[in-house]
Amino acid sequence: MTEIRLETPLDPGVATALRAGDRVRIYGDIYAARDAAHARMLELMERGEVLPLDLEGAVIYYVGPTPPRPGRVIGAAGPTTSSRMDPYVDALLSRGLRGMIGKGARSPEVLEALAHYGAVYFAATGGAGALLSRAIRSEDVVAWPELGPEALRRLGVEGFPAVVAADSHGGDLYTSGPERYRSRRPSA
Amino acid sequence: MREIDVAEVSSAVARLAEDSNYRLSRGYMARLENVLSIEDSDDARPVLEDLWENACLAAEGEAPICQDTGVAVVFLEVGQGVHLVGGDLAAAVDAGVSRGYRNGYLRNSVVGDPLLRENTGDNTPAVLHVDVVPGSAMKVWFLPKGAGSENMSRSAMLRPADGRRGVVDFVLETVEGAGASACPPLVVGVGLGGTFDLAPLLAKRALLRPLGAQNSAEHLAALERDLLASINDLGIGAGGFGGRTTALAVHVEAHPCHIASLPVAVNLQCHAHRVGVVEL
C-alpha cells in the first residue's frame, strides 16, 4: 500500500491534499501533549501569554509515554483517546495547529473545525506503544516537567506511521470504514 | 495456621506489575494469531499485524506493551487458614506496585485526588479487592487497567422485564459507543445481577478468567457466544476502521439479585489484555 511522506511543519496545501484512509509516514518534530498540557496551553492563550511552542503548521501527538529504559530515547509511546482533547481543538487550530495524532473518533465540532482551518487528524495504532516508539528518535521536555508523563514534549520522528482518520473535506474513516465493511459483508 | 509474610505479597505484586506490562499470555497470542488469519478487512489487518509485532517487541523488553500501564487493580484470594504477618497488607500491596512500576519503567498514571489531580508519583495506591476463601493458599491477581477502555465502560439498572434482550442491547450499545477509543479488539467483561455496586465488580472479575474460557452455566455460556457474535457483527474491527473482529472474547459473571432488579455492567478491556496471577 502506498504511503505518503509528510514533513513537519505541515504546509497548508499538503494538509488539505490528504484524504481519510491515506497512509502516511511523518518526519520532523512533533509535539506530545495530552489533557494537562492542553489545559495549560488554553490558560496561557486566555491570558494572552506566549505559548512555549510555535503552532504554525505544527502537529500535536496525544501521548503520555512511559519512562525510557536505559539506553533508549523514550518508552512506550502509543496514542491516547483523542476525544478528551476535543474541547481544545478549535482554539489551537485558530493559532495555526495543522495536525493531530491520536486514536478514536472526534466530535462533529472537531470535524467541522478541520474543514474550516484546513487541518487533518491522524490515527496511530492504539496500544502499539512499543512499536511506535521505534519511530521516535529524540525527545525533550519543552514545558511543564512537573506534569511528568503529561509534560509538553518535542519528539523528533522518522517515518512515524499513521492513517488519515479525518480530513479537511468531511472524510471520517471512523464512520465510513465500519459502514463500508458492513455493507460488503455477505450477511448484510 | 499457615503464616505468609506480607513482604512476599509485595514481591509478587512487583513481579506481576512488571511481567504483565511486557508479556501477553500464550493463550492471548494464539487468539491474536487466529483473528489475524481470518481478518478480511484491509483496514484492520495492518492494525492486527502492528499488535503482533508490538507484543513481540515488548516481550523482548524494548518497552511496555502500551504507554498506559494502568491503574494497578489487585485481587487477593486469601485462604481462611492463612495468617498474614510482617505488616499492613494494603501497604504491602502498594509497596509492590511502587517497586514494580519503578523497576519496570512503567508510567505513573494515578492522581491522588480526582479533582485536585496531582500525580502520586509511584502509581499507588492500588485498587485492592480482598476475598477470604476456604483453604490455606493465597492467590494474587494483577490487572493493569488502562483508561482508554475503562472510560468507555458502563453500568445500568435494567428492569427485570428487559431480560436477556435488554442485557444484549446494553452490551452492544456500550461497545458501539466505545468504538476505536477503547482499542478493539476488546475483551468484554459483563457483570449481571447483585446490587448497584456488585455488577461492575463482577464485570471486572470476569476479565480475570483465561481468555475465552466459558461460564460454567450453560445459559450464560450461550449468552457469551451470542454476545461475541453480535459484537463482531458491528463491524468496528481492530483499530475501528471496519473489520471482522471487534472482540476477542466475552466473559459473563452473574450473581443473585433482588426480585425488582436487573443490574448490568460492562467492563471493557482493550486488546492489551494484561493479567498476571501467582499463587503463594
Side-chain angles (χ1 to χ4, degrees):
Chain A
M1 197 172 288
T2 343
E3 289 177 328
I4 299 166
R5 183 190 166 98
L6 294 180
E7 282 173 28
T8 62
L10 290 181
D11 287 332
V14 170
T16 52
L18 294 168
R19 291 291 188 281
D22 287 347
R23 291 186 174 276
V24 303
R25 292 269 177 181
I26 302 170
Y27 293 79
D29 285 348
I30 61 176
Y31 291 94
R34 42 176 292 154
D35 311 61
H38 274 78
R40 297 235 178 151
M41 286 191 279
L42 258 284
E43 276 171 37
L44 289 179
M45 286 164 64
E46 279 166 9
R47 291 206 301 265
E49 293 178 24
V50 180
L51 290 175
L53 75 170
D54 181 4
L55 281 174
E56 182 51 43
V59 175
I60 289 182
Y61 181 20
Y62 302 138
V63 59
T66 61
R69 295 191 72 90
R72 297 201 172 270
V73 168
I74 199 166
T80 193
T81 303
S82 305
S83 60
R84 294 198 315 276
M85 270 55 78
D86 284 354
Y88 305 108
V89 168
D90 200 271
L92 293 170
L93 291 179
S94 74
R95 296 288 197 96
L97 179 73
R98 206 154 284 136
M100 296 156 278
I101 310 171
K103 65 157 164 117
R106 308 306 299 261
S107 67
E109 292 76 17
V110 169
L111 299 180
E112 278 170 31
L114 293 178
H116 183 74
Y117 294 104
V120 61
Y121 169 50
F122 303 100
T125 300
L131 178 65
L132 291 168
S133 73
R134 293 197 137 190
I136 299 171
R137 302 301 163 86
S138 67
E139 180 258 5
D140 59 288
V141 172
V142 175
W144 312 310
E146 68 279 11
L147 295 178
E150 296 207 71
L152 179 67
R153 291 176 161 82
R154 185 187 296 108
L155 306 177
V157 298
E158 277 183 42
F160 187 91
V163 179
V164 176
D167 61 34
S168 59
H169 310 277
D172 175 18
L173 196 57
Y174 285 118
T175 307
S176 62
E179 272 172 10
R180 195 176 58 226
Y181 183 79
R182 282 192 295 266
S183 68
R184 69 181 171 80
R185 250 182 339 204
S187 59
Chain B
M1 190 64 89
R2 178 188 170 206
E3 285 197 350
I4 295 179
D5 196 306
V6 295
E8 280 187 60
V9 179
S10 290
S11 299
V13 167
R15 201 167 53 244
L16 291 172
E18 202 168 342
D19 282 357
S20 60
N21 271 298
Y22 283 85
R23 262 175 290 279
L24 292 160
S25 72
R26 202 168 290 186
Y28 173 90
M29 292 304 286
R31 181 79 178 106
L32 186 59
E33 192 171 19
N34 167 250
V35 300
L36 186 50
S37 70
I38 58 170
E39 182 57 62
D40 53 4
S41 157
D42 291 337
D43 294 305
R45 206 178 310 103
V47 174
L48 292 168
E49 284 164 356
D50 279 357
L51 299 185
W52 180 270
E53 194 182 347
N54 185 67
C56 296
L57 291 174
E60 287 163 16
E62 279 211 10
I65 297 157
C66 179
Q67 73 291 336
D68 189 348
T69 51
V71 165
V73 181
V74 176
F75 284 85
L76 299 179
E77 261 182 30
V78 186
Q80 218 171 308
V82 170
H83 181 205
L84 291 163
V85 297
D88 179 83
L89 178 64
V93 168
D94 284 345
V97 169
S98 179
R99 200 186 326 152
Y101 274 69
R102 187 176 60 248
N103 291 348
Y105 296 88
L106 306 178
R107 195 179 78 184
N108 296 324
S109 310
V110 174
V111 291
D113 181 283
L115 294 178
L116 304 177
R117 305 203 73 79
E118 195 169 322
N119 199 302
T120 61
D122 65 354
N123 217 54
T124 65
V127 172
L128 178 61
H129 301 286
V130 182
D131 283 300
V132 177
V133 298
S136 295
M138 183 166 176
K139 247 183 178 177
V140 182
W141 302 83
F142 193 91
L143 179 74
K145 195 65 181 71
S149 53
E150 196 74 356
N151 284 347
M152 297 296 159
S153 300
R154 290 164 78 222
S155 64
M157 302 301 282
L158 302 183
R159 296 168 302 184
D162 296 326
R164 190 185 200 269
R165 181 62 193 266
V167 169
V168 170
D169 287 348
F170 184 75
V171 174
L172 292 177
E173 274 167 33
T174 303
V175 172
E176 190 153 38
S181 297
C183 282
L186 307 168
V187 179
V188 181
V190 179
L192 288 183
T195 41
F196 175 70
D197 54 316
L198 186 58
L201 184 56
L202 292 168
K204 178 141 277 127
R205 228 176 242 291
L207 298 176
L208 301 179
R209 220 192 274 168
L211 188 70
Q214 294 194 340
N215 192 298
S216 56
E218 182 40 44
H219 73 291
L220 295 177
L223 177 62
E224 290 171 345
R225 288 191 295 272
D226 292 352
L227 281 170
L228 183 60
S230 303
I231 287 170
N232 286 333
D233 277 344
L234 293 173
I236 295 167
F241 300 140
R244 183 162 178 168
T245 304
T246 302
L248 300 167
V250 178
H251 298 168
V252 176
E253 288 288 329
H255 192 276
C257 62
H258 194 281
I259 49 174
S261 296
L262 175 50
V264 56
V266 183
N267 196 190
L268 299 179
Q269 170 70 307
C270 61
H271 57 70
H273 180 48
R274 301 157 290 182
V275 189
V277 59
V278 69
E279 191 168 323
L280 300 180

